[in-house]
Amino acid sequence: MLSTYLNFQFDIQGKPVNGFCMRIQDDFHETYAVVLDGYHSFCVWLDSSSTWRSSRHTSVEPRILEQIINRLSISNLR
């Protein structure tokens, strides 16, 4: 289970961001549930064209989403 879980903490323009990602079962894409302190949870996934996508109602700043995807891209979860 630990290989499917990524804890993270970083700052965006002086604002701390804390949370975690966990790989979830999806037969079609590499998919992660994202849980952030102070935000609604959402999913991100790597589609068949190797492009990262996020849930329709993701309500985080683009720089936060970019940081999370960066961390997923270089982590051992993949």
Side-chain angles (χ1 to χ4, degrees), residues 1-8 19-24 31-36 42 44 67-69 71-72 75 77:
M1 186 66 145
L2 289 176
S3 65
T4 63
Y5 182 85
L6 175 66
N7 207 9
F8 55 81
F20 66 90
C21 296
M22 185 171 59
R23 189 162 186 177
I24 57 177
T31 305
Y32 300 91
V34 180
V35 179
L36 296 173
F42 59 94
V44 295
Q67 277 289 333
I68 293 167
I69 289 171
R71 289 167 190 265
L72 283 171
S75 74
L77 295 181

mmCIF file with all atom_site columns, all heavy atoms in Angstrom, residues 1-8 19-24 31-36 42 44 67-69 71-72 75 77:
data_model
loop_
_atom_site.group_PDB
_atom_site.id
_atom_site.type_symbol
_atom_site.label_atom_id
_atom_site.label_alt_id
_atom_site.label_comp_id
_atom_site.label_asym_id
_atom_site.label_entity_id
_atom_site.label_seq_id
_atom_site.pdbx_PDB_ins_code
_atom_site.Cartn_x
_atom_site.Cartn_y
_atom_site.Cartn_z
_atom_site.occupancy
_atom_site.B_iso_or_equiv
_atom_site.pdbx_formal_charge
_atom_site.auth_seq_id
_atom_site.auth_comp_id
_atom_site.auth_asym_id
_atom_site.auth_atom_id
_atom_site.pdbx_PDB_model_num
ATOM 1   N N   . MET A 1 1  ? 0.816   -1.199 0.000   1.00 0.00 ? 1  MET A N   1
ATOM 2   C CA  . MET A 1 1  ? 0.000   0.000  0.000   1.00 0.00 ? 1  MET A CA  1
ATOM 3   C C   . MET A 1 1  ? 0.857   1.260  0.000   1.00 0.00 ? 1  MET A C   1
ATOM 4   O O   . MET A 1 1  ? 0.492   2.247  -0.601  1.00 0.00 ? 1  MET A O   1
ATOM 5   C CB  . MET A 1 1  ? -0.932  -0.047 1.203   1.00 0.00 ? 1  MET A CB  1
ATOM 6   C CG  . MET A 1 1  ? -1.923  1.078  1.219   1.00 0.00 ? 1  MET A CG  1
ATOM 7   S SD  . MET A 1 1  ? -3.080  0.934  -0.148  1.00 0.00 ? 1  MET A SD  1
ATOM 8   C CE  . MET A 1 1  ? -4.526  1.550  0.599   1.00 0.00 ? 1  MET A CE  1
ATOM 9   N N   . LEU A 1 2  ? 1.997   1.244  0.648   1.00 0.00 ? 2  LEU A N   1
ATOM 10  C CA  . LEU A 1 2  ? 2.823   2.444  0.705   1.00 0.00 ? 2  LEU A CA  1
ATOM 11  C C   . LEU A 1 2  ? 3.300   2.896  -0.658  1.00 0.00 ? 2  LEU A C   1
ATOM 12  O O   . LEU A 1 2  ? 3.501   4.077  -0.880  1.00 0.00 ? 2  LEU A O   1
ATOM 13  C CB  . LEU A 1 2  ? 4.014   2.225  1.639   1.00 0.00 ? 2  LEU A CB  1
ATOM 14  C CG  . LEU A 1 2  ? 3.678   2.141  3.116   1.00 0.00 ? 2  LEU A CG  1
ATOM 15  C CD1 . LEU A 1 2  ? 4.932   1.832  3.918   1.00 0.00 ? 2  LEU A CD1 1
ATOM 16  C CD2 . LEU A 1 2  ? 3.036   3.419  3.616   1.00 0.00 ? 2  LEU A CD2 1
ATOM 17  N N   . SER A 1 3  ? 3.466   1.981  -1.601  1.00 0.00 ? 3  SER A N   1
ATOM 18  C CA  . SER A 1 3  ? 3.934   2.378  -2.928  1.00 0.00 ? 3  SER A CA  1
ATOM 19  C C   . SER A 1 3  ? 2.845   3.086  -3.733  1.00 0.00 ? 3  SER A C   1
ATOM 20  O O   . SER A 1 3  ? 3.118   3.591  -4.799  1.00 0.00 ? 3  SER A O   1
ATOM 21  C CB  . SER A 1 3  ? 4.437   1.164  -3.697  1.00 0.00 ? 3  SER A CB  1
ATOM 22  O OG  . SER A 1 3  ? 3.362   0.285  -3.942  1.00 0.00 ? 3  SER A OG  1
ATOM 23  N N   . THR A 1 4  ? 1.634   3.130  -3.223  1.00 0.00 ? 4  THR A N   1
ATOM 24  C CA  . THR A 1 4  ? 0.543   3.795  -3.944  1.00 0.00 ? 4  THR A CA  1
ATOM 25  C C   . THR A 1 4  ? 0.122   5.090  -3.266  1.00 0.00 ? 4  THR A C   1
ATOM 26  O O   . THR A 1 4  ? -0.930  5.635  -3.573  1.00 0.00 ? 4  THR A O   1
ATOM 27  C CB  . THR A 1 4  ? -0.684  2.867  -4.057  1.00 0.00 ? 4  THR A CB  1
ATOM 28  O OG1 . THR A 1 4  ? -1.174  2.586  -2.754  1.00 0.00 ? 4  THR A OG1 1
ATOM 29  C CG2 . THR A 1 4  ? -0.342  1.594  -4.801  1.00 0.00 ? 4  THR A CG2 1
ATOM 30  N N   . TYR A 1 5  ? 0.937   5.599  -2.362  1.00 0.00 ? 5  TYR A N   1
ATOM 31  C CA  . TYR A 1 5  ? 0.580   6.750  -1.534  1.00 0.00 ? 5  TYR A CA  1
ATOM 32  C C   . TYR A 1 5  ? 1.710   7.768  -1.568  1.00 0.00 ? 5  TYR A C   1
ATOM 33  O O   . TYR A 1 5  ? 2.878   7.407  -1.440  1.00 0.00 ? 5  TYR A O   1
ATOM 34  C CB  . TYR A 1 5  ? 0.363   6.240  -0.105  1.00 0.00 ? 5  TYR A CB  1
ATOM 35  C CG  . TYR A 1 5  ? -0.050  7.280  0.886   1.00 0.00 ? 5  TYR A CG  1
ATOM 36  C CD1 . TYR A 1 5  ? -1.376  7.632  1.039   1.00 0.00 ? 5  TYR A CD1 1
ATOM 37  C CD2 . TYR A 1 5  ? 0.888   7.885  1.702   1.00 0.00 ? 5  TYR A CD2 1
ATOM 38  C CE1 . TYR A 1 5  ? -1.767  8.576  1.970   1.00 0.00 ? 5  TYR A CE1 1
ATOM 39  C CE2 . TYR A 1 5  ? 0.515   8.823  2.643   1.00 0.00 ? 5  TYR A CE2 1
ATOM 40  C CZ  . TYR A 1 5  ? -0.815  9.159  2.772   1.00 0.00 ? 5  TYR A CZ  1
ATOM 41  O OH  . TYR A 1 5  ? -1.193  10.089 3.696   1.00 0.00 ? 5  TYR A OH  1
ATOM 42  N N   . LEU A 1 6  ? 1.368   9.044  -1.757  1.00 0.00 ? 6  LEU A N   1
ATOM 43  C CA  . LEU A 1 6  ? 2.371   10.115 -1.779  1.00 0.00 ? 6  LEU A CA  1
ATOM 44  C C   . LEU A 1 6  ? 1.907   11.254 -0.883  1.00 0.00 ? 6  LEU A C   1
ATOM 45  O O   . LEU A 1 6  ? 0.867   11.859 -1.126  1.00 0.00 ? 6  LEU A O   1
ATOM 46  C CB  . LEU A 1 6  ? 2.573   10.634 -3.211  1.00 0.00 ? 6  LEU A CB  1
ATOM 47  C CG  . LEU A 1 6  ? 3.502   11.841 -3.371  1.00 0.00 ? 6  LEU A CG  1
ATOM 48  C CD1 . LEU A 1 6  ? 4.926   11.460 -3.010  1.00 0.00 ? 6  LEU A CD1 1
ATOM 49  C CD2 . LEU A 1 6  ? 3.428   12.378 -4.784  1.00 0.00 ? 6  LEU A CD2 1
ATOM 50  N N   . ASN A 1 7  ? 2.661   11.501 0.178   1.00 0.00 ? 7  ASN A N   1
ATOM 51  C CA  . ASN A 1 7  ? 2.403   12.613 1.082   1.00 0.00 ? 7  ASN A CA  1
ATOM 52  C C   . ASN A 1 7  ? 3.193   13.811 0.574   1.00 0.00 ? 7  ASN A C   1
ATOM 53  O O   . ASN A 1 7  ? 4.337   13.644 0.134   1.00 0.00 ? 7  ASN A O   1
ATOM 54  C CB  . ASN A 1 7  ? 2.885   12.217 2.478   1.00 0.00 ? 7  ASN A CB  1
ATOM 55  C CG  . ASN A 1 7  ? 2.149   12.908 3.576   1.00 0.00 ? 7  ASN A CG  1
ATOM 56  O OD1 . ASN A 1 7  ? 1.161   13.582 3.341   1.00 0.00 ? 7  ASN A OD1 1
ATOM 57  N ND2 . ASN A 1 7  ? 2.626   12.738 4.785   1.00 0.00 ? 7  ASN A ND2 1
ATOM 58  N N   . PHE A 1 8  ? 2.630   15.018 0.612   1.00 0.00 ? 8  PHE A N   1
ATOM 59  C CA  . PHE A 1 8  ? 3.386   16.180 0.155   1.00 0.00 ? 8  PHE A CA  1
ATOM 60  C C   . PHE A 1 8  ? 3.075   17.419 0.974   1.00 0.00 ? 8  PHE A C   1
ATOM 61  O O   . PHE A 1 8  ? 2.022   17.536 1.609   1.00 0.00 ? 8  PHE A O   1
ATOM 62  C CB  . PHE A 1 8  ? 3.159   16.461 -1.340  1.00 0.00 ? 8  PHE A CB  1
ATOM 63  C CG  . PHE A 1 8  ? 1.720   16.622 -1.732  1.00 0.00 ? 8  PHE A CG  1
ATOM 64  C CD1 . PHE A 1 8  ? 1.064   17.814 -1.529  1.00 0.00 ? 8  PHE A CD1 1
ATOM 65  C CD2 . PHE A 1 8  ? 1.034   15.581 -2.311  1.00 0.00 ? 8  PHE A CD2 1
ATOM 66  C CE1 . PHE A 1 8  ? -0.258  17.963 -1.898  1.00 0.00 ? 8  PHE A CE1 1
ATOM 67  C CE2 . PHE A 1 8  ? -0.292  15.718 -2.678  1.00 0.00 ? 8  PHE A CE2 1
ATOM 68  C CZ  . PHE A 1 8  ? -0.938  16.919 -2.471  1.00 0.00 ? 8  PHE A CZ  1
ATOM 69  N N   . GLY A 1 19 ? -1.075  17.794 1.868   1.00 0.00 ? 19 GLY A N   1
ATOM 70  C CA  . GLY A 1 19 ? -2.039  16.794 1.440   1.00 0.00 ? 19 GLY A CA  1
ATOM 71  C C   . GLY A 1 19 ? -1.381  15.504 1.041   1.00 0.00 ? 19 GLY A C   1
ATOM 72  O O   . GLY A 1 19 ? -0.212  15.255 1.344   1.00 0.00 ? 19 GLY A O   1
ATOM 73  N N   . PHE A 1 20 ? -2.142  14.685 0.343   1.00 0.00 ? 20 PHE A N   1
ATOM 74  C CA  . PHE A 1 20 ? -1.610  13.422 -0.143  1.00 0.00 ? 20 PHE A CA  1
ATOM 75  C C   . PHE A 1 20 ? -2.365  12.983 -1.393  1.00 0.00 ? 20 PHE A C   1
ATOM 76  O O   . PHE A 1 20 ? -3.473  13.445 -1.676  1.00 0.00 ? 20 PHE A O   1
ATOM 77  C CB  . PHE A 1 20 ? -1.664  12.336 0.934   1.00 0.00 ? 20 PHE A CB  1
ATOM 78  C CG  . PHE A 1 20 ? -3.056  11.919 1.334   1.00 0.00 ? 20 PHE A CG  1
ATOM 79  C CD1 . PHE A 1 20 ? -3.704  10.878 0.686   1.00 0.00 ? 20 PHE A CD1 1
ATOM 80  C CD2 . PHE A 1 20 ? -3.719  12.563 2.362   1.00 0.00 ? 20 PHE A CD2 1
ATOM 81  C CE1 . PHE A 1 20 ? -4.985  10.497 1.057   1.00 0.00 ? 20 PHE A CE1 1
ATOM 82  C CE2 . PHE A 1 20 ? -4.995  12.189 2.750   1.00 0.00 ? 20 PHE A CE2 1
ATOM 83  C CZ  . PHE A 1 20 ? -5.622  11.140 2.091   1.00 0.00 ? 20 PHE A CZ  1
ATOM 84  N N   . CYS A 1 21 ? -1.725  12.078 -2.125  1.00 0.00 ? 21 CYS A N   1
ATOM 85  C CA  . CYS A 1 21 ? -2.323  11.437 -3.293  1.00 0.00 ? 21 CYS A CA  1
ATOM 86  C C   . CYS A 1 21 ? -2.281  9.936  -3.053  1.00 0.00 ? 21 CYS A C   1
ATOM 87  O O   . CYS A 1 21 ? -1.342  9.418  -2.449  1.00 0.00 ? 21 CYS A O   1
ATOM 88  C CB  . CYS A 1 21 ? -1.521  11.718 -4.561  1.00 0.00 ? 21 CYS A CB  1
ATOM 89  S SG  . CYS A 1 21 ? -1.472  13.430 -5.040  1.00 0.00 ? 21 CYS A SG  1
ATOM 90  N N   . MET A 1 22 ? -3.286  9.257  -3.558  1.00 0.00 ? 22 MET A N   1
ATOM 91  C CA  . MET A 1 22 ? -3.324  7.815  -3.451  1.00 0.00 ? 22 MET A CA  1
ATOM 92  C C   . MET A 1 22 ? -3.811  7.244  -4.771  1.00 0.00 ? 22 MET A C   1
ATOM 93  O O   . MET A 1 22 ? -4.827  7.700  -5.313  1.00 0.00 ? 22 MET A O   1
ATOM 94  C CB  . MET A 1 22 ? -4.251  7.386  -2.319  1.00 0.00 ? 22 MET A CB  1
ATOM 95  C CG  . MET A 1 22 ? -4.247  5.904  -2.081  1.00 0.00 ? 22 MET A CG  1
ATOM 96  S SD  . MET A 1 22 ? -5.117  5.406  -0.589  1.00 0.00 ? 22 MET A SD  1
ATOM 97  C CE  . MET A 1 22 ? -6.753  6.028  -0.911  1.00 0.00 ? 22 MET A CE  1
ATOM 98  N N   . ARG A 1 23 ? -3.071  6.288  -5.281  1.00 0.00 ? 23 ARG A N   1
ATOM 99  C CA  . ARG A 1 23 ? -3.481  5.655  -6.535  1.00 0.00 ? 23 ARG A CA  1
ATOM 100 C C   . ARG A 1 23 ? -4.750  4.864  -6.301  1.00 0.00 ? 23 ARG A C   1
ATOM 101 O O   . ARG A 1 23 ? -4.887  4.165  -5.304  1.00 0.00 ? 23 ARG A O   1
ATOM 102 C CB  . ARG A 1 23 ? -2.383  4.749  -7.062  1.00 0.00 ? 23 ARG A CB  1
ATOM 103 C CG  . ARG A 1 23 ? -2.686  4.270  -8.451  1.00 0.00 ? 23 ARG A CG  1
ATOM 104 C CD  . ARG A 1 23 ? -1.481  3.762  -9.140  1.00 0.00 ? 23 ARG A CD  1
ATOM 105 N NE  . ARG A 1 23 ? -1.830  3.453  -10.509 1.00 0.00 ? 23 ARG A NE  1
ATOM 106 C CZ  . ARG A 1 23 ? -0.985  3.035  -11.390 1.00 0.00 ? 23 ARG A CZ  1
ATOM 107 N NH1 . ARG A 1 23 ? 0.271   2.884  -11.059 1.00 0.00 ? 23 ARG A NH1 1
ATOM 108 N NH2 . ARG A 1 23 ? -1.365  2.778  -12.609 1.00 0.00 ? 23 ARG A NH2 1
ATOM 109 N N   . ILE A 1 24 ? -5.700  4.999  -7.219  1.00 0.00 ? 24 ILE A N   1
ATOM 110 C CA  . ILE A 1 24 ? -6.961  4.274  -7.098  1.00 0.00 ? 24 ILE A CA  1
ATOM 111 C C   . ILE A 1 24 ? -7.156  3.378  -8.314  1.00 0.00 ? 24 ILE A C   1
ATOM 112 O O   . ILE A 1 24 ? -6.581  3.619  -9.378  1.00 0.00 ? 24 ILE A O   1
ATOM 113 C CB  . ILE A 1 24 ? -8.159  5.235  -6.904  1.00 0.00 ? 24 ILE A CB  1
ATOM 114 C CG1 . ILE A 1 24 ? -8.268  6.240  -8.050  1.00 0.00 ? 24 ILE A CG1 1
ATOM 115 C CG2 . ILE A 1 24 ? -8.049  5.965  -5.577  1.00 0.00 ? 24 ILE A CG2 1
ATOM 116 C CD1 . ILE A 1 24 ? -9.483  7.160  -7.952  1.00 0.00 ? 24 ILE A CD1 1
ATOM 117 N N   . THR A 1 31 ? -4.777  6.663  -12.319 1.00 0.00 ? 31 THR A N   1
ATOM 118 C CA  . THR A 1 31 ? -5.646  7.622  -11.630 1.00 0.00 ? 31 THR A CA  1
ATOM 119 C C   . THR A 1 31 ? -5.273  7.754  -10.161 1.00 0.00 ? 31 THR A C   1
ATOM 120 O O   . THR A 1 31 ? -4.949  6.764  -9.508  1.00 0.00 ? 31 THR A O   1
ATOM 121 C CB  . THR A 1 31 ? -7.121  7.181  -11.737 1.00 0.00 ? 31 THR A CB  1
ATOM 122 O OG1 . THR A 1 31 ? -7.443  7.014  -13.120 1.00 0.00 ? 31 THR A OG1 1
ATOM 123 C CG2 . THR A 1 31 ? -8.050  8.199  -11.127 1.00 0.00 ? 31 THR A CG2 1
ATOM 124 N N   . TYR A 1 32 ? -5.332  9.002  -9.665  1.00 0.00 ? 32 TYR A N   1
ATOM 125 C CA  . TYR A 1 32 ? -4.994  9.289  -8.271  1.00 0.00 ? 32 TYR A CA  1
ATOM 126 C C   . TYR A 1 32 ? -6.073  10.147 -7.625  1.00 0.00 ? 32 TYR A C   1
ATOM 127 O O   . TYR A 1 32 ? -6.552  11.111 -8.224  1.00 0.00 ? 32 TYR A O   1
ATOM 128 C CB  . TYR A 1 32 ? -3.667  10.057 -8.183  1.00 0.00 ? 32 TYR A CB  1
ATOM 129 C CG  . TYR A 1 32 ? -2.528  9.281  -8.765  1.00 0.00 ? 32 TYR A CG  1
ATOM 130 C CD1 . TYR A 1 32 ? -2.192  9.421  -10.103 1.00 0.00 ? 32 TYR A CD1 1
ATOM 131 C CD2 . TYR A 1 32 ? -1.801  8.393  -7.984  1.00 0.00 ? 32 TYR A CD2 1
ATOM 132 C CE1 . TYR A 1 32 ? -1.158  8.685  -10.658 1.00 0.00 ? 32 TYR A CE1 1
ATOM 133 C CE2 . TYR A 1 32 ? -0.766  7.656  -8.534  1.00 0.00 ? 32 TYR A CE2 1
ATOM 134 C CZ  . TYR A 1 32 ? -0.449  7.804  -9.863  1.00 0.00 ? 32 TYR A CZ  1
ATOM 135 O OH  . TYR A 1 32 ? 0.572   7.072  -10.410 1.00 0.00 ? 32 TYR A OH  1
ATOM 136 N N   . ALA A 1 33 ? -6.435  9.799  -6.403  1.00 0.00 ? 33 ALA A N   1
ATOM 137 C CA  . ALA A 1 33 ? -7.278  10.652 -5.576  1.00 0.00 ? 33 ALA A CA  1
ATOM 138 C C   . ALA A 1 33 ? -6.341  11.644 -4.899  1.00 0.00 ? 33 ALA A C   1
ATOM 139 O O   . ALA A 1 33 ? -5.280  11.268 -4.413  1.00 0.00 ? 33 ALA A O   1
ATOM 140 C CB  . ALA A 1 33 ? -8.009  9.824  -4.533  1.00 0.00 ? 33 ALA A CB  1
ATOM 141 N N   . VAL A 1 34 ? -6.726  12.916 -4.873  1.00 0.00 ? 34 VAL A N   1
ATOM 142 C CA  . VAL A 1 34 ? -5.923  13.966 -4.258  1.00 0.00 ? 34 VAL A CA  1
ATOM 143 C C   . VAL A 1 34 ? -6.729  14.569 -3.114  1.00 0.00 ? 34 VAL A C   1
ATOM 144 O O   . VAL A 1 34 ? -7.872  14.983 -3.311  1.00 0.00 ? 34 VAL A O   1
ATOM 145 C CB  . VAL A 1 34 ? -5.548  15.071 -5.276  1.00 0.00 ? 34 VAL A CB  1
ATOM 146 C CG1 . VAL A 1 34 ? -4.714  16.146 -4.619  1.00 0.00 ? 34 VAL A CG1 1
ATOM 147 C CG2 . VAL A 1 34 ? -4.829  14.480 -6.476  1.00 0.00 ? 34 VAL A CG2 1
ATOM 148 N N   . VAL A 1 35 ? -6.116  14.628 -1.934  1.00 0.00 ? 35 VAL A N   1
ATOM 149 C CA  . VAL A 1 35 ? -6.751  15.218 -0.767  1.00 0.00 ? 35 VAL A CA  1
ATOM 150 C C   . VAL A 1 35 ? -5.834  16.321 -0.253  1.00 0.00 ? 35 VAL A C   1
ATOM 151 O O   . VAL A 1 35 ? -4.669  16.077 0.054   1.00 0.00 ? 35 VAL A O   1
ATOM 152 C CB  . VAL A 1 35 ? -6.990  14.159 0.337   1.00 0.00 ? 35 VAL A CB  1
ATOM 153 C CG1 . VAL A 1 35 ? -7.629  14.795 1.560   1.00 0.00 ? 35 VAL A CG1 1
ATOM 154 C CG2 . VAL A 1 35 ? -7.844  13.015 -0.189  1.00 0.00 ? 35 VAL A CG2 1
ATOM 155 N N   . LEU A 1 36 ? -6.365  17.551 -0.212  1.00 0.00 ? 36 LEU A N   1
ATOM 156 C CA  . LEU A 1 36 ? -5.603  18.718 0.239   1.00 0.00 ? 36 LEU A CA  1
ATOM 157 C C   . LEU A 1 36 ? -6.299  19.353 1.433   1.00 0.00 ? 36 LEU A C   1
ATOM 158 O O   . LEU A 1 36 ? -7.528  19.462 1.437   1.00 0.00 ? 36 LEU A O   1
ATOM 159 C CB  . LEU A 1 36 ? -5.521  19.777 -0.869  1.00 0.00 ? 36 LEU A CB  1
ATOM 160 C CG  . LEU A 1 36 ? -4.800  19.429 -2.143  1.00 0.00 ? 36 LEU A CG  1
ATOM 161 C CD1 . LEU A 1 36 ? -4.984  20.539 -3.162  1.00 0.00 ? 36 LEU A CD1 1
ATOM 162 C CD2 . LEU A 1 36 ? -3.332  19.232 -1.859  1.00 0.00 ? 36 LEU A CD2 1
ATOM 163 N N   . PHE A 1 42 ? -10.268 15.646 -5.130  1.00 0.00 ? 42 PHE A N   1
ATOM 164 C CA  . PHE A 1 42 ? -10.491 15.521 -6.568  1.00 0.00 ? 42 PHE A CA  1
ATOM 165 C C   . PHE A 1 42 ? -9.593  14.432 -7.113  1.00 0.00 ? 42 PHE A C   1
ATOM 166 O O   . PHE A 1 42 ? -8.785  13.868 -6.382  1.00 0.00 ? 42 PHE A O   1
ATOM 167 C CB  . PHE A 1 42 ? -10.242 16.860 -7.279  1.00 0.00 ? 42 PHE A CB  1
ATOM 168 C CG  . PHE A 1 42 ? -8.854  17.414 -7.107  1.00 0.00 ? 42 PHE A CG  1
ATOM 169 C CD1 . PHE A 1 42 ? -7.869  17.159 -8.044  1.00 0.00 ? 42 PHE A CD1 1
ATOM 170 C CD2 . PHE A 1 42 ? -8.546  18.207 -6.006  1.00 0.00 ? 42 PHE A CD2 1
ATOM 171 C CE1 . PHE A 1 42 ? -6.589  17.680 -7.894  1.00 0.00 ? 42 PHE A CE1 1
ATOM 172 C CE2 . PHE A 1 42 ? -7.277  18.734 -5.850  1.00 0.00 ? 42 PHE A CE2 1
ATOM 173 C CZ  . PHE A 1 42 ? -6.302  18.472 -6.791  1.00 0.00 ? 42 PHE A CZ  1
ATOM 174 N N   . VAL A 1 44 ? -6.918  13.145 -10.369 1.00 0.00 ? 44 VAL A N   1
ATOM 175 C CA  . VAL A 1 44 ? -6.114  13.451 -11.548 1.00 0.00 ? 44 VAL A CA  1
ATOM 176 C C   . VAL A 1 44 ? -5.780  12.119 -12.205 1.00 0.00 ? 44 VAL A C   1
ATOM 177 O O   . VAL A 1 44 ? -5.711  11.090 -11.541 1.00 0.00 ? 44 VAL A O   1
ATOM 178 C CB  . VAL A 1 44 ? -4.819  14.242 -11.207 1.00 0.00 ? 44 VAL A CB  1
ATOM 179 C CG1 . VAL A 1 44 ? -5.130  15.608 -10.660 1.00 0.00 ? 44 VAL A CG1 1
ATOM 180 C CG2 . VAL A 1 44 ? -3.924  13.481 -10.245 1.00 0.00 ? 44 VAL A CG2 1
ATOM 181 N N   . GLN A 1 67 ? 2.106   21.618 -9.347  1.00 0.00 ? 67 GLN A N   1
ATOM 182 C CA  . GLN A 1 67 ? 3.043   21.046 -8.380  1.00 0.00 ? 67 GLN A CA  1
ATOM 183 C C   . GLN A 1 67 ? 2.690   19.592 -8.058  1.00 0.00 ? 67 GLN A C   1
ATOM 184 O O   . GLN A 1 67 ? 3.573   18.735 -7.971  1.00 0.00 ? 67 GLN A O   1
ATOM 185 C CB  . GLN A 1 67 ? 3.049   21.863 -7.082  1.00 0.00 ? 67 GLN A CB  1
ATOM 186 C CG  . GLN A 1 67 ? 3.914   23.070 -7.118  1.00 0.00 ? 67 GLN A CG  1
ATOM 187 C CD  . GLN A 1 67 ? 5.393   22.711 -7.108  1.00 0.00 ? 67 GLN A CD  1
ATOM 188 O OE1 . GLN A 1 67 ? 5.809   21.677 -6.601  1.00 0.00 ? 67 GLN A OE1 1
ATOM 189 N NE2 . GLN A 1 67 ? 6.181   23.573 -7.701  1.00 0.00 ? 67 GLN A NE2 1
ATOM 190 N N   . ILE A 1 68 ? 1.418   19.321 -7.863  1.00 0.00 ? 68 ILE A N   1
ATOM 191 C CA  . ILE A 1 68 ? 0.990   17.955 -7.546  1.00 0.00 ? 68 ILE A CA  1
ATOM 192 C C   . ILE A 1 68 ? 1.318   17.017 -8.697  1.00 0.00 ? 68 ILE A C   1
ATOM 193 O O   . ILE A 1 68 ? 1.874   15.933 -8.504  1.00 0.00 ? 68 ILE A O   1
ATOM 194 C CB  . ILE A 1 68 ? -0.520  17.932 -7.223  1.00 0.00 ? 68 ILE A CB  1
ATOM 195 C CG1 . ILE A 1 68 ? -0.771  18.690 -5.920  1.00 0.00 ? 68 ILE A CG1 1
ATOM 196 C CG2 . ILE A 1 68 ? -1.042  16.505 -7.156  1.00 0.00 ? 68 ILE A CG2 1
ATOM 197 C CD1 . ILE A 1 68 ? -2.229  18.997 -5.662  1.00 0.00 ? 68 ILE A CD1 1
ATOM 198 N N   . ILE A 1 69 ? 0.994   17.422 -9.910  1.00 0.00 ? 69 ILE A N   1
ATOM 199 C CA  . ILE A 1 69 ? 1.275   16.584 -11.078 1.00 0.00 ? 69 ILE A CA  1
ATOM 200 C C   . ILE A 1 69 ? 2.785   16.382 -11.243 1.00 0.00 ? 69 ILE A C   1
ATOM 201 O O   . ILE A 1 69 ? 3.239   15.284 -11.562 1.00 0.00 ? 69 ILE A O   1
ATOM 202 C CB  . ILE A 1 69 ? 0.619   17.176 -12.336 1.00 0.00 ? 69 ILE A CB  1
ATOM 203 C CG1 . ILE A 1 69 ? -0.902  16.994 -12.228 1.00 0.00 ? 69 ILE A CG1 1
ATOM 204 C CG2 . ILE A 1 69 ? 1.160   16.535 -13.608 1.00 0.00 ? 69 ILE A CG2 1
ATOM 205 C CD1 . ILE A 1 69 ? -1.701  17.712 -13.294 1.00 0.00 ? 69 ILE A CD1 1
ATOM 206 N N   . ARG A 1 71 ? 5.002   16.278 -8.869  1.00 0.00 ? 71 ARG A N   1
ATOM 207 C CA  . ARG A 1 71 ? 5.415   15.323 -7.847  1.00 0.00 ? 71 ARG A CA  1
ATOM 208 C C   . ARG A 1 71 ? 4.974   13.901 -8.206  1.00 0.00 ? 71 ARG A C   1
ATOM 209 O O   . ARG A 1 71 ? 5.714   12.946 -7.967  1.00 0.00 ? 71 ARG A O   1
ATOM 210 C CB  . ARG A 1 71 ? 4.890   15.740 -6.483  1.00 0.00 ? 71 ARG A CB  1
ATOM 211 C CG  . ARG A 1 71 ? 5.624   16.970 -5.980  1.00 0.00 ? 71 ARG A CG  1
ATOM 212 C CD  . ARG A 1 71 ? 4.960   17.611 -4.799  1.00 0.00 ? 71 ARG A CD  1
ATOM 213 N NE  . ARG A 1 71 ? 5.570   18.903 -4.525  1.00 0.00 ? 71 ARG A NE  1
ATOM 214 C CZ  . ARG A 1 71 ? 6.523   19.099 -3.655  1.00 0.00 ? 71 ARG A CZ  1
ATOM 215 N NH1 . ARG A 1 71 ? 6.988   18.099 -2.942  1.00 0.00 ? 71 ARG A NH1 1
ATOM 216 N NH2 . ARG A 1 71 ? 7.040   20.300 -3.478  1.00 0.00 ? 71 ARG A NH2 1
ATOM 217 N N   . LEU A 1 72 ? 3.806   13.754 -8.775  1.00 0.00 ? 72 LEU A N   1
ATOM 218 C CA  . LEU A 1 72 ? 3.366   12.436 -9.218  1.00 0.00 ? 72 LEU A CA  1
ATOM 219 C C   . LEU A 1 72 ? 4.241   11.921 -10.355 1.00 0.00 ? 72 LEU A C   1
ATOM 220 O O   . LEU A 1 72 ? 4.553   10.738 -10.413 1.00 0.00 ? 72 LEU A O   1
ATOM 221 C CB  . LEU A 1 72 ? 1.907   12.483 -9.674  1.00 0.00 ? 72 LEU A CB  1
ATOM 222 C CG  . LEU A 1 72 ? 0.858   12.530 -8.588  1.00 0.00 ? 72 LEU A CG  1
ATOM 223 C CD1 . LEU A 1 72 ? -0.501  12.790 -9.186  1.00 0.00 ? 72 LEU A CD1 1
ATOM 224 C CD2 . LEU A 1 72 ? 0.854   11.247 -7.785  1.00 0.00 ? 72 LEU A CD2 1
ATOM 225 N N   . SER A 1 75 ? 7.539   10.689 -8.824  1.00 0.00 ? 75 SER A N   1
ATOM 226 C CA  . SER A 1 75 ? 7.465   9.809  -7.649  1.00 0.00 ? 75 SER A CA  1
ATOM 227 C C   . SER A 1 75 ? 7.545   8.338  -8.054  1.00 0.00 ? 75 SER A C   1
ATOM 228 O O   . SER A 1 75 ? 7.507   7.992  -9.221  1.00 0.00 ? 75 SER A O   1
ATOM 229 C CB  . SER A 1 75 ? 6.165   10.052 -6.893  1.00 0.00 ? 75 SER A CB  1
ATOM 230 O OG  . SER A 1 75 ? 5.094   9.479  -7.604  1.00 0.00 ? 75 SER A OG  1
ATOM 231 N N   . LEU A 1 77 ? 5.217   6.287  -7.436  1.00 0.00 ? 77 LEU A N   1
ATOM 232 C CA  . LEU A 1 77 ? 3.864   5.754  -7.583  1.00 0.00 ? 77 LEU A CA  1
ATOM 233 C C   . LEU A 1 77 ? 3.647   5.170  -8.967  1.00 0.00 ? 77 LEU A C   1
ATOM 234 O O   . LEU A 1 77 ? 2.807   4.322  -9.155  1.00 0.00 ? 77 LEU A O   1
ATOM 235 C CB  . LEU A 1 77 ? 2.829   6.855  -7.325  1.00 0.00 ? 77 LEU A CB  1
ATOM 236 C CG  . LEU A 1 77 ? 2.771   7.446  -5.923  1.00 0.00 ? 77 LEU A CG  1
ATOM 237 C CD1 . LEU A 1 77 ? 1.674   8.497  -5.847  1.00 0.00 ? 77 LEU A CD1 1
ATOM 238 C CD2 . LEU A 1 77 ? 2.550   6.387  -4.889  1.00 0.00 ? 77 LEU A CD2 1
#
